[in-house]
Amino acid sequence: MAGILAWFWNERFWLPHNVTWADLQSTEEAAFPQAEDLYLAFPLAFCIFMIRLLFERFIAKPCALGLKVQANGPQKAQPNAILEKVFTAITKHPDEKRLEGLSKQLDWDVRSIQRWFRQRRNQEKPSTLRKFCESMWRFTFYLYIFTYGVRFLKKTPWLWNTRQCWSGYPYQPLMPDLHYYYIVELSFYWSLMFSQFIDVKRKDFGIMFTHHIVTVTLITFSYVTNLTRVGTLILCLHDAADIVLEAAKMANYCKCQKLSDLLFLTFAVVFIVSRLGIYPLWILNTTLFELYEALGNFPALWVFNVLLMVLQILHCFWSYLIIKAAYKAISKGKAGKWNPLHVAKDARSDVESSSDEEETVPRSKGPHSTVTTNGTSGANGTNGYLTAATSSEEH
């Protein structure tokens, strides 16, 4: 194992020429980032997760109930042993042939069976209350850590001149505030890495998982190699848009539609400006060009920049979704009802509508045509991501 670790942390790969790990050992005169510091992130991640549970239970939930956020989840499907067996053992999305067979077996019309499966799928979805609590926790953390980051960075020279990120590198002493900032951010993303398996599920789960892996990897390697100055700029820049996004979600769950629209518009502007403008012109410029000019070439530089480029690709993908949603809403004359990340057929939509599918299948039998509808469409929908609308394009 020692041999594998020695090979992995090869000085010629991770550090500039003529620099060794021994040169970056902490002394009485100066402290430098040490790999073992990162072990603190694991117990702290657990503590953050426990704080989150307490926050959601005793702060977020009472706030949600005070704001009259709907506590009940989507309407439950009526009990049916045959359909339940198909749902749990065979498929949650029956095809047309299976629907016809079930229709004959139960003497139900196809539309009612489709509605039952839709309700049953939505039954497993989280309630608006739970989603509000999750968003309020993230909003609170992002607001705190962003405020801390801004207060720290405004006292540093590299906020105003990115070339200062490389002045004296790698012999840049580790400041206590920077150490705290890094470890808390890393701990939070570790907590997200594990909690996302129990959090509200989105259809872009894989993309978000990739984002968390890249983020944790970047924070870890930049800390160990003392690329922390530029790391603080990246962390603070990314937290800015997340604050507005979570605030917009909370407004949406509270059915404050005008406020939600305003916040989502603000989020879209902040996201695109920060991720497609400031990030490449400010961050990538210094890591691709200024770093090379100051230190020359060494392998870890390219690993670092490849990971930063992966983040930029994710930024472009999310910006495309935001712009596409805004364009759709404006082109259809529904500018007041757009929602950048949670529209019908969008990658992150999490509760199904009851309008599209039903209109395409004629009612074949009458006796069971009064089965209760999903309850997720229209003005009384329970889905926090859907606005009052009657067609899928308005959700």
Side-chain angles (χ1 to χ4, degrees), residues 12-13 15-17 291-302:
R12 301 281 60 80
F13 184 88
L15 299 174
H17 298 298
L291 173 57
Y292 181 80
E293 292 174 10
L295 302 173
N297 188 21
F298 59 101
L301 183 153
W302 298 107

Side-chain angles (χ1 to χ4, degrees), residues 60-107:
K61 186 175 180 179
C63 288
L65 296 176
L67 293 169
K68 301 191 185 307
V69 173
Q70 188 164 350
N72 297 327
Q75 184 174 350
K76 294 184 177 181
Q78 66 181 51
N80 187 290
I82 294 175
L83 295 181
E84 184 67 27
K85 184 176 180 180
V86 173
F87 182 88
T88 55
I90 302 176
T91 178
K92 296 181 180 180
H93 299 270
D95 56 23
E96 185 177 348
K97 183 178 180 180
R98 190 176 298 278
L99 287 171
E100 291 291 346
L102 290 170
S103 175
K104 294 177 181 178
Q105 183 178 359
L106 296 172
D107 193 30

Side-chain angles (χ1 to χ4, degrees), residues 38-236:
L38 299 177
Y39 293 134
L40 292 172
F42 295 105
L44 188 55
F46 177 76
C47 291
I48 288 176
F49 180 71
M50 297 306 295
I51 292 171
R52 170 190 170 174
L53 295 180
L54 294 173
F55 178 90
E56 291 185 357
R57 175 76 178 272
F58 297 107
I59 299 177
K61 186 175 180 179
C63 288
L65 296 176
L67 293 169
K68 301 191 185 307
V69 173
Q70 188 164 350
N72 297 327
Q75 184 174 350
K76 294 184 177 181
Q78 66 181 51
N80 187 290
I82 294 175
L83 295 181
E84 184 67 27
K85 184 176 180 180
V86 173
F87 182 88
T88 55
I90 302 176
T91 178
K92 296 181 180 180
H93 299 270
D95 56 23
E96 185 177 348
K97 183 178 180 180
R98 190 176 298 278
L99 287 171
E100 291 291 346
L102 290 170
S103 175
K104 294 177 181 178
Q105 183 178 359
L106 296 172
D107 193 30
W108 283 23
D109 59 87
V110 172
R111 182 177 177 180
S112 296
I113 296 175
Q114 285 181 313
R115 186 183 297 115
W116 188 95
F117 273 93
R118 183 162 44 253
Q119 289 179 340
R120 184 63 182 82
R121 289 192 296 267
N122 286 341
Q123 190 175 313
E124 298 184 341
K125 306 296 183 181
S127 67
T128 304
L129 176 64
R130 181 184 168 192
K131 291 184 286 187
F132 179 93
C133 292
E134 180 182 310
S135 289
M136 187 172 178
W137 159 249
R138 295 193 183 198
F139 168 81
T140 303
F141 179 85
Y142 287 134
L143 181 62
Y144 163 73
I145 203 66
F146 176 74
T147 303
Y148 183 91
V150 169
R151 291 182 62 186
F152 166 71
L153 285 171
K154 71 179 183 181
K155 299 180 291 186
T156 64
W158 61 86
L159 175 63
W160 315 108
N161 179 9
T162 53
R163 291 185 181 276
Q164 289 294 319
C165 291
W166 322 116
S167 177
Y169 180 84
Y171 307 107
Q172 299 168 339
L174 178 65
M175 295 180 285
D177 288 347
L178 190 153
H179 175 260
Y180 172 81
Y181 188 32
Y182 244 73
I183 295 300
V184 171
E185 285 273 20
L186 179 60
S187 302
F188 177 71
Y189 279 103
W190 270 121
S191 72
L192 288 183
M193 282 276 287
F194 297 110
S195 67
Q196 68 179 340
F197 294 100
I198 62 172
D199 284 343
V200 175
K201 292 294 187 295
R202 313 287 188 213
K203 290 186 180 179
D204 65 346
F205 174 87
I207 297 173
M208 287 305 299
F209 189 63
T210 301
H211 173 269
H212 295 335
I213 290 176
V214 172
T215 301
V216 167
T217 304
L218 272 170
I219 295 175
T220 300
F221 287 158
S222 64
Y223 184 85
V224 172
T225 56
N226 206 15
L227 294 166
T228 51
R229 291 187 176 183
V230 71
T232 57
L233 298 178
I234 297 170
L235 290 170
C236 193

